[in-house]
Amino acid sequence: QECILHGPLWAARGVAAMGAGASITEAMEFVGSGVSPAHVLTAKLQYDTFVSIDEERVGRKDRMTKAFAQDVTLKFGRVCGMCAAIGHNAIEYTIQVEDGNSEVVRRRFLQPLNLPELTKRGINVGPKYREVAVEVEWQGGAKFLAELLRREKGMYEVKFKGGKREVLSGVPLVHLHPVDEDTRVDSSPETLA
């Protein structure tokens, strides 16, 4: 699935791949836009990686983990583009948060996906992976494959990857588990209802 590329400075789709591996040629396409080529070359968010978006635009981070603080409301999405923004060395990223739904966000309100509370539970999420197993009590404790969409007040919103691909909000941390061989990947709680 392709994301819609935003901004008047897109010269080619290849620019979307910029990040730590950007070429000098790609970086030079931004010259005159207020963004220095050096800044583009050292950008840390690469195309097709998962990120956390600070929905409240406060940018508050935990001192120990460097991740967004636990009480910050987050959305999770995939980087699918970047462009120069108004201001010196300002970059905006296009983030696909759901199928057909993208947002443009300044770099300071983004971070590679890092959720220490999930890592402590053995759940492996990060810039390349945002899938979890969700335990559903009314299905006898069965676990279903889902992707993280949002975190608010310690609760998560997920979208199941199989079945009707429905969205479930208000999932507590204790119902999130690592994906394993017991995780149902082709169905969802609604398809089994």
Side-chain angles (χ1 to χ4, degrees):
Q1 297 172 357
E2 288 296 316
C3 292
I4 298 169
L5 303 177
H6 297 278
L9 299 173
W10 287 100
R13 185 183 183 282
V15 176
M18 283 197 294
S23 72
I24 297 292
T25 304
E26 290 169 331
M28 292 305 287
E29 291 180 18
F30 281 103
V31 172
S33 68
V35 177
S36 74
H39 186 70
V40 172
L41 287 169
T42 59
K44 296 191 189 252
L45 298 178
Q46 295 185 10
Y47 178 75
D48 211 27
T49 59
F50 292 110
V51 294
S52 300
I53 304 169
D54 176 359
E55 274 197 277
E56 300 161 354
R57 307 299 196 256
V58 294
R60 192 173 62 256
K61 296 182 181 173
D62 182 271
R63 290 183 189 161
M64 298 293 288
T65 65
K66 306 293 186 215
F68 285 121
Q70 282 276 358
D71 60 342
V72 174
T73 300
L74 300 175
K75 272 188 184 176
F76 310 113
R78 182 177 57 88
V79 175
C80 59
M82 73 182 256
C83 65
I86 296 174
H88 183 67
N89 285 346
I91 295 177
E92 290 181 335
Y93 289 84
T94 302
I95 310 299
Q96 182 181 17
V97 290
E98 288 186 65
D99 295 340
N101 185 8
S102 297
E103 295 184 16
V104 177
V105 184
R106 287 256 172 145
R107 171 62 174 104
R108 68 176 170 251
F109 302 119
L110 295 172
Q111 182 177 62
L113 184 56
N114 177 16
L115 299 170
E117 68 272 22
L118 294 182
T119 304
K120 287 178 186 174
R121 294 183 47 83
I123 302 170
N124 181 25
V125 296
K128 296 292 180 188
Y129 194 75
R130 70 170 172 174
E131 294 178 344
V132 296
V134 180
E135 179 184 347
V136 179
E137 288 180 350
W138 58 274
Q139 283 290 351
K143 295 185 289 183
F144 298 88
L145 182 65
E147 60 184 21
L148 294 168
L149 297 179
R150 198 163 186 266
R151 179 187 78 189
E152 182 176 16
K153 297 179 182 173
M155 303 297 257
Y156 295 84
E157 181 175 271
V158 298
K159 183 174 186 174
F160 294 102
K161 301 279 285 184
K164 295 181 180 178
R165 297 181 47 88
E166 66 270 11
V167 173
L168 180 63
S169 300
V171 178
L173 179 61
V174 296
H175 286 204
L176 300 179
H177 301 278
V179 177
D180 60 20
E181 63 277 351
D182 296 328
T183 304
R184 297 180 181 189
V185 298
D186 295 328
S187 60
S188 66
E190 285 297 316
T191 58
L192 296 179

